[in-house]
Amino acid sequence: MDFRHAPEHPYPAQLDDVETAYRWLLAQGYQPQHIGSTGHSIGGTLAVMLPLRLLAKGEPTPGAIVSISPWTDFTLANPKVDENEEHDKMLSRNTLEGMRAAFLQDPDLDFADPRISLVNADLTGLPPTVVHYGEYETLAGDGAELAQRLTEFKVTSEVHPMPEGQHSFVLGAGRVPEVDQAIEQMGQSLRRHLGA
């Protein structure tokens, strides 16, 4: 699905749109346990934010999450942001700071707030979660930290670092065999957890 874009529509407009799409699926008769929450880049972040929002409301979550190249620490404190800057052809600290300013326009919202920085969130109750990220991307540390937090909160999880992978490496589908293999892994995980 598409969602409203910043800066015209800052957070939480995107999360609201994802929730609207989820509720539309429910209205069509799909059961929560047969719905996957998936996305890459900020979509990978939203894929985790949606179930957390639903848990806070006491509502059923999707049956599984696949989060690809997520941005999980808006403080940009992870050292990989700078260490991988020369390798990542899509993102840099400067582009991330610009995107953060467009996405998070509420001056009262701290960048470390667990509603947006998932590395600080209580992940209790999340459905099975699969995390994929590229080892060469500026957000590699974010993906690794999310995976560690999932383990700490005893969430059934898998983590798949893509060797030499760039941010949003999935865009290489059909051209890079390793990407095609990773996408096949994602599909297998969803089929396993969603009972498809």
Side-chain angles (χ1 to χ4, degrees):
M1 70 158 285
D2 199 3
F3 46 75
R4 287 172 287 174
H5 296 171
E8 294 82 7
H9 304 284
Y11 171 88
Q14 299 75 19
L15 183 55
D16 293 341
D17 290 349
V18 171
E19 182 178 355
T20 297
Y22 175 71
R23 294 193 183 284
W24 181 86
L25 288 171
L26 296 179
Q28 302 307 303
Y30 292 95
Q31 297 300 308
Q33 68 268 24
H34 298 304
I35 298 172
S37 184
T38 69
H40 78 276
S41 194
I42 197 64
T45 309
L46 294 167
V48 182
M49 286 180 170
L50 171 64
L52 288 176
R53 176 185 270 193
L54 294 168
L55 285 168
K57 295 179 179 182
E59 299 182 27
T61 70
I65 299 169
V66 174
S67 178
I68 307 155
S69 297
W71 189 358
T72 64
D73 183 358
F74 281 84
T75 70
L76 299 178
N78 195 290
K80 288 292 184 185
V81 171
D82 297 312
E83 290 173 15
N84 281 352
E85 188 165 7
E86 65 181 86
H87 299 299
D88 194 332
K89 304 307 179 190
M90 292 190 71
L91 295 179
S92 66
R93 176 173 288 277
N94 284 342
T95 56
L96 287 169
E97 287 174 348
M99 292 164 69
R100 181 178 65 184
F103 186 62
L104 303 173
Q105 296 180 31
D106 182 348
D108 295 325
L109 189 62
D110 188 276
F111 295 147
D113 190 306
R115 289 174 293 172
I116 54 170
S117 281
L118 300 176
V119 294
N120 299 323
D122 181 342
L123 305 180
T124 303
L126 279 182
T129 301
V130 180
V131 180
H132 286 258
Y133 63 88
E135 290 186 339
Y136 273 12
E137 64 174 296
T138 56
L139 297 179
D142 287 46
E145 269 196 283
L146 175 60
Q148 180 180 337
R149 295 281 288 170
L150 290 165
T151 299
E152 290 170 4
F153 281 92
K154 299 181 173 24
V155 176
T156 300
S157 59
E158 303 171 31
V159 57
H160 299 279
M162 167 72 70
E164 301 184 11
Q166 300 282 315
H167 181 68
S168 292
F169 64 87
V170 289
L171 299 177
R175 297 182 298 279
V176 180
E178 293 84 355
V179 172
D180 291 339
Q181 181 180 0
I183 291 171
E184 177 61 28
Q185 284 179 325
M186 295 172 202
Q188 289 172 356
S189 296
L190 285 170
R191 286 191 290 272
R192 184 167 61 252
H193 294 303
L194 301 179

